[in-house]
Amino acid sequence: MPVWLCVKLGIYLLFAIPQSLIDIKKLRAPLSISIFAFLILLAFYIAEGFFMPRRLLLNFVLTLVLGLFLSLLIYMVARLLTSGGLGKGDIWWGCVTGFMCGYPSALIAVFFSALLGILYYVFLAVRKRSLKKGGVIYKPFFAVPYVPFISVGAIVVQVLFTVLR
């Protein structure tokens, strides 16, 4: 695995782990962690840009910005469709993740995180339903922290893209 990818994932994990733990425990994702993670990743990418050929620099910047804005768009639409079920902290962390992944990795990371979240939600629904012994459940009955799924989806995509290249 390239050194730059290890450093980037290390920086990301430095913030993803506490952000995920806080989201699991309190069902809140602090904006301060997302902002600080974004600034540190930005500094990393600026440093990386100094060692990049000028002809690739514009493409590199556009990839990062496009990943951020597409993630923002997808998560905002998800928030609207779920009537606020997706929290603002999840959206901000999704933006940081989109910035870290870049385009098109950010789109695949969103897909993986949604898939993991849905599978977990179905698991909990089946488990809760079996505990109720046949009761029918028509509406959401528990909250699921989404930041851990965003983080795992991003890491899986980054590792997969590196292995497949």
Side-chain angles (χ1 to χ4, degrees), residues 6 8 23 54-55 58 60-61 66 68-69 75 85 98 100-101 103 107 113 115-116 127-128 141 144 150 153 163:
C6 292
K8 179 172 73 168
D23 194 29
R54 295 292 170 226
R55 60 186 166 77
L58 180 62
F60 177 68
V61 171
L66 193 57
L68 185 145
F69 282 114
Y75 287 122
M100 188 269 300
C101 290
Y103 175 82
L107 298 177
S113 63
L115 182 65
L116 290 171
R127 187 169 147 239
K128 183 139 180 152
F141 48 93
V144 176
I150 295 172
V163 169

Side-chain angles (χ1 to χ4, degrees), residues 43-113:
F44 171 75
Y45 284 133
I46 289 171
E48 187 178 359
F50 281 120
F51 299 104
M52 189 172 290
R54 295 292 170 226
R55 60 186 166 77
L56 298 177
L57 192 58
L58 180 62
N59 188 33
F60 177 68
V61 171
L62 288 176
T63 299
L64 297 175
V65 172
L66 193 57
L68 185 145
F69 282 114
L70 285 175
S71 294
L72 176 64
L73 179 67
I74 291 169
Y75 287 122
M76 289 299 291
V77 168
R79 180 174 169 83
L80 293 172
L81 292 176
T82 60
S83 301
L86 188 67
K88 291 177 186 171
D90 298 322
I91 293 171
W92 289 114
W93 187 250
C95 291
V96 169
T97 300
F99 183 69
M100 188 269 300
C101 290
Y103 175 82
S105 300
L107 298 177
I108 299 167
V110 168
F111 171 77
F112 272 121
S113 63

